[in-house]
Amino acid sequence: MTPPHAPTTARALATAEVCRRIVAESRRQLAEVGPAALSLRAVSRELGMAPSAIYRHFADRDALLSALIAQTFTDLGEAVEVAVAAAGPARIDTWRAWTRAVREWAVARPFDYALVYGSPVPGYAAPRDTVAPAVRVLQPILDMASGLTPSGSTVDTPPLGDSLDSMADYIDAPAEVAARAIEAWATIMGFLSLYLFGHLVGAVDSSDTLWERVVEQTAADLGLTEPDEPLPGGRS
Amino acid sequence: MTPPHAPTTARALATAEVCRRIVAESRRQLAEVGPAALSLRAVSRELGMAPSAIYRHFADRDALLSALIAQTFTDLGEAVEVAVAAAGPARIDTWRAWTRAVREWAVARPFDYALVYGSPVPGYAAPRDTVAPAVRVLQPILDMASGLTPSGSTVDTPPLGDSLDSMADYIDAPAEVAARAIEAWATIMGFLSLYLFGHLVGAVDSSDTLWERVVEQTAADLGLTEPDEPLPGGRS
DNA sequence: TGTACATCAGTGAACGCGCGTTCACTGATGTAC
DNA sequence: TGTACATCAGTGAACGCGCGTTCACTGATGTAC
C-alpha cells in the first residue's frame, strides 16, 4: 500500500521528524536574526541537540539555507494555490486572489518574504532545487496569462525583441502578454517590498486602500477588466 | 573666507580624511560580504590601523552602518540630480532621466542598491539621519508630480481614503496623483529588485527592451504622455 | 617668537564570545539468517 | 522466534577562527600666554 520509497521504519520516521524540526526552528530563528546570522549552534541548542547532530541531516550551513528557501517558496506556493482554487473562474478572480494571498502571506511573515524576495545572501548561490518551488508560486498567474490576448493598450510602447520568446512559449501567449505579466508582477512585488522594508513609512498612513488601487490598476494593465473576456475553458 | 566651522587645522583635515577612508573601504567590503557581515576589524586591517582606531570616528558598528546607508543614498541622490538637470524640461523628460539614472546606478552597484532598498539588516534600526538622504533621491519626481492633474484614467479604481493626504499636501497635487506616483515608483523598484536579485533569470533574456516598456508604461499611467501637458513654470 | 600645557587620533594588548566543522565514540534500531 | 552483525543518528570534546569592544598608553598637533 505504501509507496516503495516512503520511510516506514521507526528510524526513518524519526529522521524525517528531526529534519522537520531543524527546518522549523531555523525558520523561527531566521525571523529574528536574518539569513546571514543564522547559526547552526543556536538552532541545535534550542532543539537540545549537539551542534554536530545537524550534520547528520544537512551537509553544511548552505545546505540548510537552501532547504529553508525551498521550504519558504513551497509555503507561499501552497498559500496562493489554496487562494486561487477558492476564487472564481474569471482571470481577474485569479489575479485578485493571487495578489491578496501573496500580500497576506508576506505581511504575516516579513522575514520569510525578505529571505526569498529580498537581498540575496552574499557568498551563497541558490542551487537548482530552489527554482521549482519559486516557479510554483508564479504558476497560477502563468496559467491565467495563458491564451490571453493583448488588449486595451493606449500607449505607444517600444518594440520587444526576442528576449521574452521562451516565456511567451511557456505560457502560450504573445510576448506582449508576457511583458505585461512581468510588469504587473514587478508592481506587486515592488509595492510589497517598499512597504515591508519601510520605505513607505513617512508617505502612506495605511497601505490598504492604496493596495486595492494597485491591484485594480495592474489588472487593467493586464487587460483583465474587459467584461467579455474569453476564458481558456470556453464559457465564452 | 572659510566658513566658521570648516575644518582648517591639520588635525581636523586628517580626521576628515581618515573618516572618508573608513567609509570608502567599508563600502568596498560591503559589496563583497553584505551589510550583516561587515567587520570593523577587516576594515581597519585593510586600512593598516588598529581596530580600536575606528572608535575615534564612529561610536560603534551601527553608527558606521548608518553612515554607509546615508552616504549611499546621497550618492544615488546626486546621480539622479545630475541626470535630471541634464534632461529636457517636460515632465516626461524628468521621468525618463530619473528612471534611467536609478537603473544605471543600481546595475553598476548592485550591493549598494541592496543595502538601501533590499532587506533591512535585522537588529538594526535606521536612525533619522538616513531619512533626508533617502527623500533626496525621490525629490526630482516629487517636484515633477507637483501640480500634476490626474488624467487618462480608463480604470475604475477604489476610492482613496485620507492615507495619502500628507504626501498630497507635500507635492501639492491631488491624492490621486500621489497614488499614481507611488505605483509608478513601486513598478520601477520592483522591476529592478526582481532583476538584480535574480528572479528574472529564467524568464527574461535581456532586460533592456522590457525596461524601456516599463518606463513608458509607467509614464503613461502617470499621465505624462499627453502632448499638451502644462508645465509648472508656464510655457503652456 | 618661545614655552608650557591641553587635546585627542591612533596603538596594542586583552576581554569574553560564538561560530562552523571534525572526529572518534556509543548505543539504539534495523536486517539477515 | 531468536541471535549475530550492520547501520547510522546523535554525543561531546576539541580545533582554529574572527568578531566587537575596553582600556591605559603615547606622541604629535593645537592653543594660550
Side-chain angles (χ1 to χ4, degrees), chain B residues 9-11 38-42 45 52 55 60-61:
Chain B
T9 67
R11 186 138 81 187
L38 179 70
S39 153
L40 296 189
R41 293 188 93 105
R45 208 180 300 131
S52 48
Y55 288 81
D60 54 16
R61 198 174 160 282

